[in-house]
Amino acid sequence: MAKITASVYTSHVPAIGAALDLGKSGEPYWQPVFKGYDFSKQWLAENKPDVIFLVYNDHATAFSLEMIPTFAIGTAAEFTPADEGWGPRPVPKVIGHPELAAHIAQSVIQQDFDLTIVNKMDVDHGLTVPLSLMCGQPQAWPCPVIPFAVNVVQYPVPSGRRCFELGKAIRKAVESFDKPLKVQIWGTGGMSHQLQGPRAGLINKEFDNAFLDQLIADPEGLASKPHIDYVREAGSEGIELVMWLIARGAMSDVACGPAPKVAHRFYHVPASNTAVGHLILENK
Ligand code: DHB
Ligand code: FE
């Protein structure tokens, strides 16, 4: 059967993608950001999954105010990189895993979660920047990726609790797939940032580090954090962090397994307008 081997968490700042694509990653501003991912690139090469289930948010690229799915699973064979601002990134196309994606859709919907099934979708920095941070600049991404888009842009957005429960359902879905695939689940976006209004530029190191501590040690308690706390403490875009609870809910310890191993933890401010946070948790 398939299993979830690890979860990865990382911010998705679009300027990080631009820094890589424009050859600026060695500049003093960017060096400390990329240094935090040296371990991660090595780790991913040594712990190569068969599939990455990548939880991210679309930024009005694939979806718009015309149509806003709360949870959308990409079931296509491939996904084309696209982006706002800097334009489509010059990165490899994303190869999907239609068979596993369809199985997860079937299982998770039968577990009473409403997913939108998306057979054609472009993917923006929310998905491609985490891949770049973890893989560098390869000719092709190391394995198929199932994009899983969460609405954290237009209110009402899903609660941390619902995201955490969804993670549990995704773990059950993966573990009922009849092929011995190693699957990693990535939770992306965050950490604290606010891009508009009088509080634009807000970053909250204390909140972010407490979030990382609790995500590791007490995800069940963290799942109860209300929206208003994210928005007040981590800024309007800090709400992207609820997506990390989907990945965390899919780890074994949540289903009575052993606590995960913290393989890597990194935090840096600022990158563009955002605090960069990153964790790798391995199932034991
Ligand atoms: C920035 C961060 C984001 O999460 C985003 O989607 C766009 C911009 C920023 O830090 O500039
Ligand atoms: Fe974002």
Side-chain angles (χ1 to χ4, degrees), residues 184-251:
Q184 287 180 9
I185 183 163
W186 294 12
T188 65
M191 296 198 83
S192 58
H193 62 305
Q194 170 144 348
L195 301 177
Q196 68 267 301
R199 297 203 308 161
L202 176 145
I203 282 177
N204 186 342
K205 283 189 201 176
E206 288 70 33
F207 173 92
D208 289 337
N209 281 291
F211 183 93
L212 292 172
D213 290 342
Q214 200 177 4
L215 188 74
I216 294 166
D218 176 28
E220 189 72 51
L222 185 60
S224 299
K225 188 182 283 302
H227 278 145
I228 191 69
D229 287 21
Y230 287 95
V231 175
R232 189 196 311 109
E233 304 293 331
S236 51
E237 277 63 51
I239 192 64
E240 290 178 343
L241 282 170
V242 292
M243 295 186 290
W244 294 32
L245 282 163
I246 297 179
R248 188 64 182 90
M251 293 297 282

Side-chain angles (χ1 to χ4, degrees), residues 12 57 59 125 193 240:
H12 68 210
N57 70 289
H59 300 75
H125 70 266
H193 62 305
E240 290 178 343

